[in-house]
Short mmCIF file of all heavy atoms in Angstrom, two decimals:
data_model
loop_
_atom_site.label_atom_id
_atom_site.label_comp_id
_atom_site.label_asym_id
_atom_site.label_seq_id
_atom_site.Cartn_x
_atom_site.Cartn_y
_atom_site.Cartn_z
N LYS A 23 89.66 70.07 115.05
CA LYS A 23 88.59 70.73 114.31
C LYS A 23 88.98 70.87 112.84
O LYS A 23 90.16 70.85 112.49
CB LYS A 23 88.35 72.14 114.87
CG LYS A 23 87.71 72.17 116.23
CD LYS A 23 87.43 73.61 116.63
CE LYS A 23 88.68 74.15 117.26
NZ LYS A 23 88.58 75.36 117.96
N ASP A 24 87.99 71.06 111.99
CA ASP A 24 88.23 71.35 110.59
C ASP A 24 89.14 72.56 110.49
O ASP A 24 89.03 73.50 111.28
CB ASP A 24 86.89 71.62 109.88
CG ASP A 24 87.03 71.65 108.38
OD1 ASP A 24 87.53 72.68 107.86
OD2 ASP A 24 86.67 70.68 107.72
N LYS A 28 89.84 76.75 112.75
CA LYS A 28 90.99 77.04 113.61
C LYS A 28 91.42 78.50 113.46
O LYS A 28 91.40 79.05 112.36
CB LYS A 28 92.18 76.13 113.24
CG LYS A 28 91.94 74.67 113.55
CD LYS A 28 93.15 73.88 113.08
CE LYS A 28 92.99 72.44 113.36
NZ LYS A 28 93.48 72.08 114.68
N GLY A 32 95.11 80.05 108.52
CA GLY A 32 95.88 80.67 107.44
C GLY A 32 97.36 80.31 107.51
O GLY A 32 97.99 80.00 106.50
N ILE A 34 98.67 77.66 108.98
CA ILE A 34 98.81 76.22 108.70
C ILE A 34 98.78 75.99 107.19
O ILE A 34 99.60 75.26 106.65
CB ILE A 34 97.70 75.41 109.39
CG1 ILE A 34 97.88 75.46 110.91
CG2 ILE A 34 97.67 73.97 108.89
CD1 ILE A 34 96.70 74.91 111.69
N VAL A 41 105.99 74.22 102.08
CA VAL A 41 106.71 72.94 102.17
C VAL A 41 106.50 72.12 100.90
O VAL A 41 107.46 71.55 100.35
CB VAL A 41 106.26 72.15 103.42
CG1 VAL A 41 106.75 70.72 103.38
CG2 VAL A 41 106.74 72.85 104.68
N GLU A 42 105.29 72.07 100.39
CA GLU A 42 105.02 71.28 99.18
C GLU A 42 105.70 71.87 97.95
O GLU A 42 106.20 71.12 97.10
CB GLU A 42 103.51 71.14 98.96
CG GLU A 42 102.81 70.30 100.01
CD GLU A 42 103.36 68.88 100.10
OE1 GLU A 42 103.58 68.25 99.05
OE2 GLU A 42 103.55 68.39 101.23
N LYS A 46 108.52 69.97 95.70
CA LYS A 46 108.39 69.85 94.25
C LYS A 46 109.67 70.31 93.55
O LYS A 46 110.16 69.65 92.63
CB LYS A 46 107.20 70.67 93.74
CG LYS A 46 107.03 70.60 92.24
CD LYS A 46 105.89 71.45 91.76
CE LYS A 46 105.80 71.35 90.26
NZ LYS A 46 104.90 72.34 89.69
N TYR A 57 111.94 83.79 99.09
CA TYR A 57 111.80 85.04 99.84
C TYR A 57 110.32 85.29 100.11
O TYR A 57 109.45 84.64 99.54
CB TYR A 57 112.31 86.24 99.02
CG TYR A 57 113.70 86.10 98.48
CD1 TYR A 57 113.92 85.66 97.17
CD2 TYR A 57 114.81 86.42 99.27
CE1 TYR A 57 115.21 85.54 96.67
CE2 TYR A 57 116.10 86.30 98.76
CZ TYR A 57 116.29 85.85 97.47
OH TYR A 57 117.56 85.73 96.97
N GLY A 64 101.86 97.11 104.67
CA GLY A 64 101.23 95.80 104.83
C GLY A 64 100.98 95.00 103.57
O GLY A 64 100.51 93.87 103.64
N ASP A 68 103.26 86.17 99.76
CA ASP A 68 103.53 85.09 100.71
C ASP A 68 104.82 84.34 100.42
O ASP A 68 105.57 84.01 101.33
CB ASP A 68 102.37 84.08 100.73
CG ASP A 68 101.12 84.67 101.37
OD1 ASP A 68 101.24 85.61 102.18
OD2 ASP A 68 100.02 84.18 101.06
N GLU A 72 112.74 82.60 93.26
CA GLU A 72 113.59 83.29 92.28
C GLU A 72 114.56 82.31 91.64
O GLU A 72 115.25 81.57 92.31
CB GLU A 72 114.37 84.40 92.98
CG GLU A 72 115.16 85.26 92.02
CD GLU A 72 116.61 84.82 91.88
OE1 GLU A 72 117.21 84.37 92.87
OE2 GLU A 72 117.15 84.92 90.78
N ASN A 74 117.20 82.38 88.09
CA ASN A 74 117.74 83.04 86.90
C ASN A 74 117.19 84.45 86.70
O ASN A 74 116.92 84.87 85.59
CB ASN A 74 117.45 82.19 85.66
CG ASN A 74 118.00 80.79 85.80
OD1 ASN A 74 119.11 80.59 86.26
ND2 ASN A 74 117.19 79.80 85.42
N TYR A 80 103.73 83.65 94.80
CA TYR A 80 102.67 82.78 95.30
C TYR A 80 101.93 83.46 96.44
O TYR A 80 102.54 84.00 97.36
CB TYR A 80 103.24 81.46 95.82
CG TYR A 80 103.87 80.62 94.74
CD1 TYR A 80 105.23 80.73 94.47
CD2 TYR A 80 103.12 79.74 93.99
CE1 TYR A 80 105.83 79.97 93.47
CE2 TYR A 80 103.71 78.98 92.98
CZ TYR A 80 105.05 79.10 92.73
OH TYR A 80 105.64 78.36 91.75
N PHE A 82 98.80 82.33 99.17
CA PHE A 82 98.12 81.15 99.68
C PHE A 82 96.86 81.58 100.41
O PHE A 82 96.93 82.30 101.41
CB PHE A 82 99.04 80.38 100.63
CG PHE A 82 100.40 80.12 100.04
CD1 PHE A 82 101.54 80.65 100.62
CD2 PHE A 82 100.54 79.37 98.89
CE1 PHE A 82 102.79 80.42 100.08
CE2 PHE A 82 101.79 79.14 98.33
CZ PHE A 82 102.92 79.67 98.93
N LYS A 83 95.71 81.14 99.91
CA LYS A 83 94.42 81.48 100.50
C LYS A 83 93.60 80.21 100.64
O LYS A 83 93.47 79.45 99.67
CB LYS A 83 93.65 82.47 99.62
CG LYS A 83 94.38 83.76 99.34
CD LYS A 83 94.57 84.58 100.59
CE LYS A 83 95.31 85.87 100.30
NZ LYS A 83 95.78 86.51 101.51
N SER A 85 90.37 80.03 101.02
CA SER A 85 89.15 80.22 100.25
C SER A 85 89.46 80.60 98.80
O SER A 85 90.29 81.47 98.54
CB SER A 85 88.31 81.33 100.87
OG SER A 85 87.22 81.65 100.05
N ALA A 86 88.76 79.97 97.88
CA ALA A 86 88.91 80.31 96.47
C ALA A 86 88.20 81.62 96.15
O ALA A 86 88.39 82.20 95.08
CB ALA A 86 88.34 79.19 95.60
N LYS A 88 88.58 84.50 97.72
CA LYS A 88 89.38 85.70 98.03
C LYS A 88 90.03 86.22 96.75
O LYS A 88 90.67 85.49 96.02
CB LYS A 88 90.47 85.36 99.03
CG LYS A 88 89.92 84.89 100.35
CD LYS A 88 90.24 85.86 101.41
CE LYS A 88 89.62 85.36 102.70
NZ LYS A 88 90.19 85.91 103.86
N VAL A 90 92.78 88.33 94.90
CA VAL A 90 94.16 88.74 95.17
C VAL A 90 94.77 89.29 93.90
O VAL A 90 94.58 88.73 92.82
CB VAL A 90 94.99 87.55 95.68
CG1 VAL A 90 96.39 87.99 96.06
CG2 VAL A 90 94.31 86.86 96.85
N LYS A 91 95.50 90.40 94.03
CA LYS A 91 96.21 90.98 92.89
C LYS A 91 97.69 91.08 93.24
O LYS A 91 98.05 91.20 94.40
CB LYS A 91 95.69 92.38 92.57
CG LYS A 91 94.26 92.45 92.14
CD LYS A 91 93.84 93.83 91.69
CE LYS A 91 94.18 94.90 92.68
NZ LYS A 91 93.70 96.24 92.33
N ASN A 101 111.24 91.38 87.74
CA ASN A 101 110.88 90.60 86.56
C ASN A 101 109.97 89.44 86.97
O ASN A 101 110.44 88.35 87.24
CB ASN A 101 112.16 90.08 85.88
CG ASN A 101 111.87 89.36 84.60
OD1 ASN A 101 110.78 89.46 84.04
ND2 ASN A 101 112.85 88.61 84.12
N ASN A 109 94.80 77.79 96.45
CA ASN A 109 93.74 77.64 97.44
C ASN A 109 93.31 76.18 97.54
O ASN A 109 93.88 75.31 96.88
CB ASN A 109 92.57 78.56 97.10
CG ASN A 109 92.00 78.27 95.73
OD1 ASN A 109 91.65 77.15 95.41
ND2 ASN A 109 91.92 79.31 94.90
N PHE A 117 101.41 71.17 93.11
CA PHE A 117 102.33 70.30 93.83
C PHE A 117 102.50 68.99 93.11
O PHE A 117 103.32 68.23 93.33
CB PHE A 117 101.88 70.05 95.26
CG PHE A 117 101.50 71.30 96.01
CD1 PHE A 117 100.38 71.30 96.82
CD2 PHE A 117 102.24 72.47 95.91
CE1 PHE A 117 100.03 72.44 97.53
CE2 PHE A 117 101.87 73.60 96.61
CZ PHE A 117 100.76 73.58 97.43
#
Side-chain angles (χ1 to χ4, degrees):
K23 289 184 274 193
D24 191 284
K28 293 177 180 271
I34 292 169
V41 168
E42 293 301 316
K46 179 182 179 192
Y57 307 96
D68 290 335
E72 186 265 325
N74 304 317
Y80 295 92
F82 309 118
K83 303 294 180 194
S85 172
K88 298 246 178 160
V90 184
K91 296 187 309 185
N101 184 15
N109 58 54
F117 312 138

